[in-house]
Amino acid sequence: MQTIVITGAGSGIGRASAERFGRQGHRVVVTDINETTGIETADRIVADGGTAVFRRLDVTDPGQWEVLADWVCDEWGTPDVVVNNAGILIGGGFLEQTGDDWRRMIDINLMGMIFGSRTFVERMTATGKRGHIVNIASCGSFLPNSIAPSYVTAKAGIWLGTQSLRAEFGKRGIGVSAICPGLIRTDLAANGHRAGDGEDEPWAAKLASGHKYFGRSPKRVAAAIDRAIRWNLATVPVGAEAWLVWFLYRLSPGTVRTVSTAVRMSWIDPAVNLTGKVFGGNK
């Protein structure tokens, strides 16, 4: 039985991963900033015969990471696997997104991964644990664009940070993997906003209403995480479009940049509005 810590496990990829590991008989530490959904995930695992506990975590707070790590190590020892999954989405062009938008994106998506990796790698090395760190990046890591620049910047940082961590600690027996999904049915869109919108603007709700019908099940990503740990894979794209972007980026970054930057918010906003009308996200 292994001990596995997962952030953002209240829904989507985090929940699917937590439930997968729970079914395999591992102890799962479910963390999320949303207590309601996090507790629900832990309860689902326990109801299915697994072992899970919920701990609230704001991934942007290094102090909370220390408290979590101390608790996990005291209860069950140094964890075997840590999955840094928590993230949000903010849409809008480079200048549309405010300094606060950029700061929030980097704090949650990138610094959350850095704090989580640093906190637990430090304990793994101190105890000689041959553990594994899994960081959820995105095929957006290789897809510069003008519709979510802060998001892809943070995800690119996750991917490169993961490779740097792997280069330094791989030789010390710690596995490190970056998972790069394509379009996945999650609540990511709901946990963000359109830069420039007021609090009452329904852009995120409209996008989220259609997002849950398009893309692959988050169980596909959970399976990729499992595979990455088993084989200690460095980068694991998930989905045909993710593999295409990954290979094209390695072959010709300029081509990827030319194609992706052709897509603009002036195209996206009408599509999101249509999605809201079709799938009921206008409420």
Side-chain angles (χ1 to χ4, degrees), residues 106-275:
I106 298 301
D107 281 349
I108 296 174
N109 287 23
L110 179 55
M111 294 307 299
M113 178 279 290
I114 292 173
F115 290 146
S117 297
R118 179 182 176 86
T119 302
F120 282 103
V121 166
E122 182 178 37
R123 285 160 174 78
M124 289 176 182
T125 55
T127 60
K129 185 77 171 187
R130 298 177 67 87
H132 204 109
I133 303 293
V134 180
N135 296 322
I136 308 302
S138 166
C139 68
S141 303
F142 324 110
L143 200 63
N145 63 68
S146 61
I147 62 175
S150 63
Y151 178 79
V152 297
T153 297
K155 291 299 186 179
I158 290 174
W159 181 81
L160 192 56
T162 301
Q163 307 314 310
S164 299
L165 195 65
R166 183 181 177 92
E168 182 174 354
F169 292 96
K171 59 188 176 184
R172 301 176 67 172
I174 297 176
V176 188
S177 301
I179 312 299
C180 301
L183 186 59
I184 308 296
R185 297 194 303 271
T186 70
D187 292 333
L188 179 66
N191 296 326
H193 67 274
R194 165 71 158 90
D197 278 355
E199 292 184 0
D200 297 329
E201 294 292 336
W203 188 90
K206 292 176 183 178
L207 181 59
S209 68
H211 194 189
K212 62 185 177 181
Y213 294 105
F214 297 107
R216 297 163 188 82
S217 167
K219 293 180 180 179
R220 287 279 298 276
V221 185
I225 293 171
D226 201 354
R227 186 167 66 254
I229 296 168
R230 185 178 300 113
W231 299 105
N232 191 20
L233 303 175
T235 301
V236 185
V238 182
E241 71 279 11
W243 280 102
L244 177 62
V245 170
W246 168 238
F247 282 122
L248 188 57
Y249 179 81
R250 297 180 70 184
L251 179 66
S252 176
T255 299
V256 173
R257 186 167 55 250
T258 299
V259 173
S260 65
T261 55
V263 180
R264 303 184 181 281
M265 286 305 299
S266 58
W267 301 4
I268 299 300
D269 285 335
V272 170
N273 288 331
L274 178 61
T275 296

Side-chain angles (χ1 to χ4, degrees), residues 11-160:
S11 62
I13 293 170
R15 172 173 286 183
S17 302
E19 291 182 340
R20 182 183 181 92
F21 289 123
R23 288 192 298 270
Q24 293 176 353
H26 301 305
R27 290 180 294 235
V28 183
V29 181
V30 173
T31 77
D32 203 289
I33 197 169
N34 187 320
E35 293 189 27
T36 300
T37 58
I39 291 172
E40 184 178 90
T41 297
D43 288 347
R44 286 163 61 113
I45 294 171
V46 172
D48 200 31
T51 302
V53 62
F54 170 72
R55 302 288 293 183
R56 187 183 183 279
L57 175 68
D58 178 351
V59 297
T60 69
D61 186 341
Q64 290 191 27
W65 274 109
E66 292 293 330
V67 171
L68 172 69
D70 287 343
W71 182 87
V72 173
C73 292
D74 288 343
E75 289 291 321
W76 291 325
T78 307
D80 299 273
V81 177
V82 176
V83 180
N84 291 303
N85 164 72
I88 62 169
L89 172 68
I90 298 177
F94 195 98
L95 296 182
E96 288 181 292
Q97 297 194 26
T98 66
D100 287 340
D101 289 332
W102 279 90
R103 195 171 293 110
R104 181 168 181 245
M105 175 64 67
I106 298 301
D107 281 349
I108 296 174
N109 287 23
L110 179 55
M111 294 307 299
M113 178 279 290
I114 292 173
F115 290 146
S117 297
R118 179 182 176 86
T119 302
F120 282 103
V121 166
E122 182 178 37
R123 285 160 174 78
M124 289 176 182
T125 55
T127 60
K129 185 77 171 187
R130 298 177 67 87
H132 204 109
I133 303 293
V134 180
N135 296 322
I136 308 302
S138 166
C139 68
S141 303
F142 324 110
L143 200 63
N145 63 68
S146 61
I147 62 175
S150 63
Y151 178 79
V152 297
T153 297
K155 291 299 186 179
I158 290 174
W159 181 81
L160 192 56

